[in-house]
Amino acid sequence: MAIVRQQKRFGIAPIGVTRVPVAGQEIGQAVKQSAAKMRARAFEFEKNKAIESGELQAAELGINEILSFDPDTKKPIASQQADHMGEFRKNAFERVLLQRFQTSVSDQISGKANEIAQKVSVEDNAPELFEQTFNAYLEGIGQDASGYYKQVIVDAGASARTRGESQLE
């Protein structure tokens, strides 16, 4: 048996390119679109789950956590819980926290305004006494707040002050 040596021959020749058949391209596009839809559905599901979780966590907060301020950050103590949350959960948590803060502050200030108005209503200078006492109260609850939270207190206080003074006049 004879041994045949193989020789490599080099030369310049055009490079052959194999084209994918049209049917293969359509199948590839269909797979790509299907995967994109599945990813979008999974993303929406997880996003909604995170939003629901953030809303629930904020709804479970106690009123003291919502109305008590951290002297360093000048924000409610409850807002510190959002520091380690993802974007969607954090946004939902902060939105519900702000709603609860606004409602709680408004209710608390209105109740205090009614209480002060009842106490000073028998006095001759009731509107002036009401204004002085109520302003002192507002300064006390807003001393550790700043920014948006302080503005909520100021707005609720101005509304309650106007109602209280009009009742006493």
Side-chain angles (χ1 to χ4, degrees):
M1 200 188 282
I3 297 176
V4 178
R5 291 186 183 201
Q6 291 185 343
Q7 294 180 355
K8 290 188 177 180
R9 295 182 194 166
F10 294 99
I12 298 176
I15 298 174
V17 176
T18 306
R19 302 241 181 239
V20 177
V22 174
Q25 289 177 347
E26 291 173 358
I27 291 171
Q29 288 296 329
V31 168
K32 178 182 162 189
Q33 290 172 353
S34 177
K37 286 179 184 176
M38 288 174 27
R39 186 204 59 79
R41 272 189 257 144
F43 177 79
E44 280 300 314
F45 177 77
E46 291 299 322
K47 176 183 167 185
N48 291 338
K49 199 165 119 180
I51 289 171
E52 184 179 325
S53 173
E55 289 173 344
L56 182 62
Q57 189 173 355
E60 291 174 347
L61 292 171
I63 294 297
N64 289 338
E65 289 178 289
I66 294 171
L67 296 178
S68 299
F69 288 91
D70 181 1
D72 296 331
T73 62
K74 306 279 187 193
K75 292 182 179 181
I77 292 172
S79 67
Q80 294 172 352
Q81 293 182 19
D83 290 345
H84 304 291
M85 293 181 183
E87 180 182 353
F88 296 114
R89 185 175 180 192
K90 181 178 182 177
N91 289 342
F93 177 83
E94 288 175 344
R95 181 177 38 80
V96 172
L97 175 65
L98 291 176
Q99 289 172 345
R100 290 194 63 204
F101 178 78
Q102 288 172 334
T103 303
S104 299
V105 164
S106 180
D107 292 348
Q108 183 181 22
I109 289 175
S110 294
K112 190 65 171 182
N114 290 336
E115 179 185 322
I116 293 170
Q118 287 177 354
K119 286 182 182 178
V120 300
S121 64
V122 295
E123 302 293 329
D124 293 334
N125 59 346
E128 292 82 23
L129 268 170
F130 174 81
E131 185 176 356
Q132 291 171 355
T133 310
F134 192 67
N135 284 342
Y137 167 73
L138 286 178
E139 287 176 18
I141 66 167
Q143 70 185 7
D144 287 335
S146 71
Y148 176 80
Y149 300 100
K150 180 115 180 157
Q151 193 58 45
V152 168
I153 293 169
V154 168
D155 291 345
S159 176
R161 181 185 308 116
T162 304
R163 280 194 311 271
E165 288 174 345
S166 66
Q167 288 175 357
L168 294 173
E169 290 178 350

